[in-house]
Amino acid sequence: MSRGTSSFGIAILSPPTKRHYEMSAAIRMASQPLKLNSTRPFETAIFDAHNGFGGNGIYVAPTPDQNPLNITGGTGGGCVTSGPFTPPNFTVNFPTADCLRRDFIPWIMNSFADPKLVQHVLAQADYTSFARAIENIPSFDEPNIHGSGHFGVGGVLGTIGNAANSPGDPLFYLHHGNLDRILWTWQQKDLRTRLHQVGGPIAPFDYGGQNVTLDFKINMGKLAGDATLEELLNTQGGTLCYTY
């Protein structure tokens, strides 16, 4: 397994290894139709204990206060028990020191990560529709591919399912890297237009509020300072320099 170490002490995969894991998972999952209660997505190489990101946490029943949305089907919730990110090898340090937690929910992973949803996203005619299709609406009755990684893996008690703490799970970067790849794939269908097209609300899900524009600035901190959305739309435009 090809690895490097980031300044945050998180093991990161080199691009060839990342592509290998994505392809391995896709091949295995496509071998036969999935049922909603299937655990096979969690049996792919991505979750392998020796060559992947490790598996689920021990089962912990959430309290009603921890599960206000009454999400069902959780199978974990405690510290991960396999792989390179088990205690004491890995610690999530925000907001306080804790172990990496995962709470696999098969029905969310199998319905939210449906390849048909990806094709639906890629078929959108403009950026606003594309972004809306990725997110759908904030409801577990409406599957969306963004939620597949967060709640399929993080469930109720898992790190990646916590909006304030989701980057604490190294799988966050694989998941969002794939979402970025989907955006890149969508852009390639009409690159001349789509490198200069944005839309959607500034505040999440505030579809009746103020929308972003190409000159909307994002503070990238020490990575790049301030950058406009137009600059970030182009993966090879100078501020960013990568491709898929």
Side-chain angles (χ1 to χ4, degrees):
M1 184 176 187
S2 178
R3 286 186 178 173
T5 302
S6 74
S7 59
F8 300 100
I10 296 175
I12 54 177
L13 297 175
S14 68
T17 308
K18 172 183 171 183
R19 175 165 290 177
H20 164 73
Y21 275 87
E22 289 176 347
M23 290 301 295
S24 297
I27 291 170
R28 294 188 186 193
M29 290 176 65
S31 62
Q32 64 185 53
L34 290 173
K35 297 180 180 179
L36 288 183
N37 63 352
S38 171
T39 60
R40 286 194 301 108
F42 302 114
E43 296 166 5
T44 60
I46 290 174
F47 299 101
D48 185 81
H50 301 288
N51 298 312
F53 289 80
N56 203 5
I58 59 173
Y59 180 72
V60 176
T63 66
D65 288 342
Q66 292 173 320
N67 189 16
L69 299 177
N70 195 30
I71 303 171
T72 61
T75 60
C79 301
V80 296
T81 60
S82 64
F85 305 113
T86 55
N89 301 318
F90 184 84
T91 302
V92 178
N93 287 306
F94 181 85
T96 58
D98 193 12
C99 63
L100 174 63
R101 298 175 181 271
R102 291 188 182 138
D103 185 11
F104 292 173
I105 300 185
W107 75 262
I108 291 181
M109 180 62 79
N110 292 320
S111 57
F112 282 43
D114 189 333
K116 293 179 182 178
L117 292 179
V118 178
Q119 295 308 311
H120 171 69
V121 168
L122 292 175
Q124 300 306 305
D126 57 74
Y127 183 92
T128 301
S129 300
F130 169 88
R132 183 73 178 266
I134 278 185
E135 301 291 349
N136 210 328
I137 62 174
S139 168
F140 286 95
D141 295 326
E142 297 288 340
N144 65 84
I145 60 175
H146 185 193
S148 63
H150 286 281
F151 298 107
V153 173
V156 176
L157 297 177
T159 304
I160 199 172
N162 183 333
N165 202 28
S166 56
D169 190 330
L171 277 172
F172 173 94
Y173 302 96
L174 188 66
H175 177 49
H176 276 261
N178 189 45
L179 292 175
D180 185 62
R181 181 188 63 84
I182 291 171
L183 169 59
W184 180 89
T185 302
W186 177 82
Q187 288 179 312
Q188 303 310 302
K189 294 174 178 287
D190 185 3
L191 194 60
R192 187 172 183 177
T193 299
R194 293 177 178 180
L195 282 181
H196 308 282
Q197 189 180 82
V198 293
I202 292 177
F205 304 111
D206 182 21
Y207 295 111
Q210 186 178 359
N211 289 328
V212 295
T213 57
L214 288 171
D215 60 357
F216 185 85
K217 288 186 177 181
I218 296 177
N219 188 325
M220 303 290 288
K222 294 182 179 180
L223 292 175
D226 287 344
T228 66
L229 282 179
E230 186 168 27
E231 291 170 329
L232 298 178
L233 282 172
N234 190 345
T235 63
Q236 295 180 301
T239 300
L240 303 176
C241 185
Y242 67 92
T243 190
Y244 291 98

